[in-house]
Amino acid sequence: MSTIMKRRDWLKSGAILTTGLLLGSKEIKALTIEPGAYLPTGEILSDVVSSKDLKARLMYNENPYGPSQKTKEALIGVAGNGNRYAFDQVRELKRIIAQHEGLGEENILIGAGSSEILTIAGVAYGTSQGTVLSAAPTFMTLLNTLQKVGGKWQQVPLDEHYVHDLDAMKSTITRDTKLVYICNPANPTGTIVDHNKLREFCLEVSKKTTVFIDEAYNEFLPNAKEASMLDLVKKGHDIIVARTFSKVYGLAGLRIGYAFAQPGVIERLSKFITRLSTISSTSVKAAEIAYADQAFVQDCVKQNAAAKEYTYGVLKRLGYDFVPSHTSFFIFPIKMEARSFMDKMRQRGVGIRSWQFENKNWCRVSIGTMEEMKLFGHALEQIS
Ligand SMILES: Cc1ncc(COP(=O)(O)O)c(C=O)c1O
């Protein structure tokens, strides 16, 4: 069997044919260990793992190398500002990022991680008339919020390569579609859409509705700038581009992210932002220093690629297929029920996430350090 998974290969394997099921919203079920995370079915799993028992924490797509040394040093320096609100510092960070990207300060929103921006987008669009369209499976924060506030979610299955099916998405858009959410590179699959096709899609679709591009993993791409849709925001199109400091910058615990959009959209989203800010002076400082430390970013990208290649090698040796990823994680189909796979790995000190979609069990593993990936490989070998 090829080590590179295509949905067609799997369809041919007969597993789905015997059940006669087709990919659709009802069958997409994620097993998650994220605190308070909602499954698409609305079920909440409460078995939150205590990470202190793990030797390799490979379930949250965190950067195992961050924060950078420069960021850590700068954080000590700002500890004494903890008595002051960080209004000025947030404004300054907005100015720095907006200037760097060639956009205005009226185009940018800062949030406590891009999750905050996804959440408020879920509220803003979920409480207005109409529907939000996305691929399935996809990253769920916006869609979970949308559903919690009574909004309607329309899903289009990924294509046979586990990539966003832009043509199918386009043909699903109606007058009722208020927002189209596209995670690129995608979570949980790690795939990307061709950036030229995505650009064409955005140009056409943004004439009818707002397009939200979640670029949480953009910096891992060798052609990050070209693959980003930020230039379309700059040209005035109705597109939201969200980024985060949680991934390549290594600041997940400091909670800071941002989004660019047209001023009207920024204003609409800003109504739902916490008035005195969810952002601390320490996170702003960390983001400012990390943003300038591109040598660290490039080093992380390199180490991530090497550890990912190593892990692909382990999977090949053990006879597993996998979906090639453009991010700091990847998915592969597993040979046992998702929950028990997760438990067995956890018993060996390795935290991963398991998913069930297309009536199939998958592991999503974040790329840790080389040492962590060796632990992962060892545990996988033991249970295979
Ligand atoms: C695709 C995607 N978007 C957004 C986020 C949110 O990240 P944060 O809130 O830490 O910025 C994540 C985190 O895993 C993600 O995978």
Side-chain angles (χ1 to χ4, degrees), residues 7-251:
R7 206 172 91 195
R8 191 178 42 218
D9 298 340
W10 178 69
L11 280 166
K12 274 195 217 143
S13 78
I16 201 165
L17 299 178
T18 52
T19 63
L21 293 172
L22 288 174
L23 180 66
S25 60
K26 298 263 164 22
E27 305 136 52
I28 294 160
K29 190 173 181 220
L31 290 178
T32 174
I33 48 174
E34 207 157 57
Y38 280 70
L39 304 185
T41 54
E43 183 190 345
I44 305 171
L45 284 182
S46 51
D47 63 335
V48 178
V49 187
S50 170
S51 304
K52 68 176 173 10
D53 300 327
L54 294 177
K55 290 182 229 149
R57 177 170 143 136
L58 306 176
M59 62 281 201
Y60 299 125
N61 301 343
E62 295 156 335
N63 182 336
Y65 311 104
S68 73
Q69 190 56 32
K70 280 185 190 163
T71 307
K72 282 190 269 194
E73 283 163 17
L75 281 174
I76 298 165
V78 291
N81 295 343
N83 56 325
R84 303 289 178 200
Y85 290 110
F87 306 128
D88 293 350
Q89 293 93 321
V90 171
R91 216 171 294 130
E92 176 61 7
L93 182 66
K94 276 188 186 179
R95 194 195 59 75
I96 292 171
I97 300 175
Q99 193 177 48
H100 181 80
E101 297 293 354
L103 279 124
E105 286 164 59
E106 66 284 5
N107 292 111
I108 186 171
L109 184 64
I110 305 264
S114 55
S115 290
E116 186 180 25
I117 294 163
L118 289 162
T119 301
I120 62 173
V123 174
Y125 290 89
T127 50
S128 64
Q129 292 295 310
T131 60
V132 171
L133 175 69
S134 83
T138 191
F139 189 68
M140 288 300 295
T141 299
L142 191 155
L143 305 155
N144 283 338
T145 310
L146 177 91
Q147 293 177 96
K148 283 184 229 170
V149 298
K152 285 193 213 129
W153 175 29
Q154 255 190 311
Q155 309 165 35
V156 171
L158 297 173
D159 74 8
E160 60 172 13
H161 301 286
Y162 303 98
V163 174
H164 278 77
D165 189 339
L166 295 181
D167 290 335
M169 289 183 83
K170 212 185 319 175
S171 63
T172 310
I173 292 168
T174 66
R175 266 203 217 155
D176 269 351
T177 312
K178 295 298 173 226
L179 187 76
V180 179
Y181 172 73
I182 293 183
C183 183
N184 190 53
N187 189 356
T189 51
T191 55
I192 43 167
V193 270
D194 175 87
H195 63 86
N196 289 319
K197 272 199 202 148
L198 182 60
R199 192 160 275 110
E200 262 174 49
F201 173 93
C202 286
L203 283 172
E204 192 179 329
V205 171
S206 65
K207 287 183 190 132
K208 300 179 198 148
T209 185
T210 308
V211 184
F212 190 125
I213 310 286
D214 184 342
E215 294 188 352
Y217 300 94
N218 166 271
E219 295 89 348
F220 288 97
L221 301 174
N223 60 343
K225 206 174 159 88
E226 194 183 21
S228 171
M229 295 299 120
L230 206 50
D231 59 308
L232 299 184
V233 182
K234 231 180 277 185
K235 288 178 186 148
H237 299 282
D238 189 7
I239 292 162
I240 304 171
V241 171
R243 298 262 181 86
T244 180
F245 282 94
S246 297
K247 305 302 173 184
V248 85
Y249 291 100
L251 304 181

Side-chain angles (χ1 to χ4, degrees), residues 5-7 10 29 31 137 162 188-189 321-323 330-339 341-342 352-365:
M5 281 297 292
K6 286 188 208 153
R7 206 172 91 195
W10 178 69
K29 190 173 181 220
L31 290 178
Y162 303 98
T189 51
D321 289 335
F322 57 88
V323 179
F330 70 91
I331 59 167
F332 63 98
I334 49 180
K335 299 167 183 172
M336 67 179 83
E337 191 271 320
R339 160 83 61 184
F341 180 84
M342 196 165 77
I352 47 88
R353 291 180 77 183
S354 292
W355 297 69
Q356 230 172 29
F357 64 90
E358 291 193 347
N359 212 23
K360 196 172 174 68
N361 295 303
W362 300 82
C363 168
R364 193 197 71 182
V365 58

